[in-house]
Amino acid sequence: MFFYLSKIAAFFIQPSNFLIALVVVGLVMSMGTRLQKWGRRFIWVGALGLVICGFSPAANLLIQPLEDRFSRPAELGSFNGVIILGGAVDTVVTGARGETALTVSGERLTIAARLAKQLPEALIIHTGGQGTIITGQATESEGASRLFDDFGIASERIILEDESRNTWENAVLTKELVDPKPGQTWLLVTSAYHMPRSMGVFEAAGWTGVTAYPVDYRTRGGADWGLGFDGASKGLRRLDIGVREWIGLTVYWMTGRSSALFPGPGFS
């Protein structure tokens, strides 16, 4: 139930969807006689919101603190495994075409080629099934498996978890599959903006010895605080991601699925 409610809520809380809905409602209201005044207000607020959120640095202000919360380790020692979270495979296109189609978060998967060479003794673990309400013909792990084979990673090093649909299930189902032992260490790979929630979730799920390895950065850091966008769709998309992630942090913490409201370094 949590999965379905979170997906439905995610649609409505996206600023781009909300602002467009505001304009549409305003247009409908302005057709009548009683609510024309309020309809025009809704249209103005929605239109201005789309312009401001689409072109201003607002999205960068939301994303940058998330991306800078965890840094990559200065040096890679030895790890028992590399855990790669799903979100990099378009399961609908992959299922239809029979070839792995990557999303804009594709670096989550492509980094596996480098890490597999740098950590030759580590397991390469991918966790991700189908994170959409309407399922496709393939899972994320199926798509990941094809890429891992292309990268030349030995099959005996690969573990695929293909039933999880969100970050909480990533942590819980992978823990059941891998059965980590005390003293073992793990490298966690996901998008930089998603890393705080992921680390908090893995800690709440009982993982220890996890080190963050963020990828898929969307900003340069504080330098982007004053940088806007040359296309409204770019700014709105990034704002949607930032708002969704901050709300996700709050909801996961309130429901006990994360160890802290804004997890930071210190996870052991």
Side-chain angles (χ1 to χ4, degrees), residues 61-73:
L61 293 173
L62 282 177
I63 289 283
Q64 184 266 328
L66 294 168
E67 292 193 331
D68 288 351
R69 189 65 166 168
F70 287 89
S71 301
R72 289 184 182 180

Side-chain angles (χ1 to χ4, degrees), residues 2 153 175 197 204 253:
F2 180 87
I153 303 174
K175 188 171 185 286
R197 179 153 59 109
W253 175 65

Side-chain angles (χ1 to χ4, degrees), residues 106-181:
E107 192 182 347
R108 297 189 191 185
L109 273 182
T110 58
I111 197 68
R114 180 196 300 175
L115 294 175
K117 292 180 180 179
Q118 291 180 322
L119 302 168
E121 303 299 322
L123 295 171
I124 305 298
I125 305 161
H126 182 275
T127 169
Q130 294 185 349
T132 57
I133 293 179
I134 300 176
T135 57
Q137 300 174 355
T139 66
E140 289 202 56
S141 285
E142 288 175 28
S145 178
R146 293 194 188 102
L147 277 189
F148 292 163
D149 183 59
D150 291 341
F151 294 159
I153 303 174
S155 59
E156 58 268 22
R157 295 181 61 190
I158 298 172
I159 296 178
L160 302 173
E161 184 286 302
D162 63 357
E163 295 183 2
S164 57
R165 301 168 297 175
N166 55 34
T167 309
W168 174 251
E169 292 181 0
N170 287 152
V172 172
L173 296 181
T174 303
K175 188 171 185 286
E176 293 177 358
L177 184 63
V178 175
D179 189 25
K181 303 298 190 295

Side-chain angles (χ1 to χ4, degrees), residues 59 76 140 200 230:
L76 290 179
E140 289 202 56
D230 59 3

